[in-house]
Amino acid sequence: MITSTIRVPDELDEDGGIGRGFYIQDSGYPVILDWLVQNMDVRGDLSRLADSA
Protein backbone atom coordinates (compact mmCIF):
# COMPACT_ATOMS: atom_id res chain seq x y z
CA MET A 1 0.00 0.00 0.00
CA ILE A 2 1.44 3.36 -1.00
CA THR A 3 1.37 5.77 1.94
CA SER A 4 2.84 8.91 0.37
CA THR A 5 3.92 10.23 -3.04
CA ILE A 6 6.05 13.11 -4.29
CA ARG A 7 5.80 14.04 -7.98
CA VAL A 8 8.62 15.92 -9.71
CA PRO A 9 7.29 17.45 -12.96
CA ASP A 10 8.93 17.06 -16.35
CA GLU A 11 9.20 19.39 -19.33
CA LEU A 12 5.88 18.11 -20.77
CA ASP A 13 3.96 19.26 -17.68
CA GLU A 14 2.49 22.74 -17.50
CA ASP A 15 4.35 23.32 -14.19
CA GLY A 16 7.50 24.32 -16.05
CA GLY A 17 9.57 21.32 -15.03
CA ILE A 18 12.91 20.62 -16.66
CA GLY A 19 14.05 17.24 -18.00
CA ARG A 20 12.40 13.97 -17.11
CA GLY A 21 9.84 13.84 -14.28
CA PHE A 22 9.48 11.07 -11.72
CA TYR A 23 7.61 9.86 -8.66
CA ILE A 24 9.03 9.01 -5.24
CA GLN A 25 6.69 6.73 -3.30
CA ASP A 26 6.78 5.30 0.20
CA SER A 27 5.05 2.04 0.98
CA GLY A 28 3.66 0.51 4.12
CA TYR A 29 1.11 -2.00 5.27
CA PRO A 30 -1.82 -1.98 7.69
CA VAL A 31 -0.95 -2.23 11.40
CA ILE A 32 -3.31 -5.19 11.79
CA LEU A 33 -1.09 -7.16 9.40
CA ASP A 34 1.92 -6.51 11.64
CA TRP A 35 -0.05 -7.82 14.63
CA LEU A 36 -1.12 -10.94 12.72
CA VAL A 37 2.42 -11.73 11.56
CA GLN A 38 3.82 -11.37 15.08
CA ASN A 39 1.21 -13.74 16.45
CA MET A 40 1.63 -16.42 13.77
CA ASP A 41 4.96 -17.75 15.13
CA VAL A 42 6.23 -18.51 11.62
CA ARG A 43 9.68 -19.57 12.83
CA GLY A 44 8.24 -22.13 15.23
CA ASP A 45 5.95 -23.51 12.53
CA LEU A 46 8.83 -23.80 10.05
CA SER A 47 11.11 -25.57 12.53
CA ARG A 48 8.35 -28.05 13.43
CA LEU A 49 7.74 -28.67 9.73
CA ALA A 50 11.44 -29.26 9.10
CA ASP A 51 11.64 -31.68 12.05
CA SER A 52 8.71 -33.73 10.75
CA ALA A 53 10.12 -34.08 7.22
Side-chain angles (χ1 to χ4, degrees):
M1 155 182 328
I2 297 171
T3 57
S4 62
T5 300
I6 297 173
R7 167 83 167 109
V8 175
D10 60 15
E11 56 191 26
L12 298 176
D13 291 332
E14 295 177 6
D15 297 0
I18 299 172
R20 190 171 183 171
F22 57 92
Y23 289 93
I24 298 175
Q25 296 180 329
D26 181 32
S27 64
Y29 56 91
V31 175
I32 188 71
L33 183 60
D34 187 35
W35 179 82
L36 290 171
V37 169
Q38 286 180 358
N39 289 308
M40 284 178 29
D41 188 27
V42 174
R43 289 184 189 153
D45 292 341
L46 291 175
S47 67
R48 284 191 296 277
L49 180 64
D51 290 342
S52 68

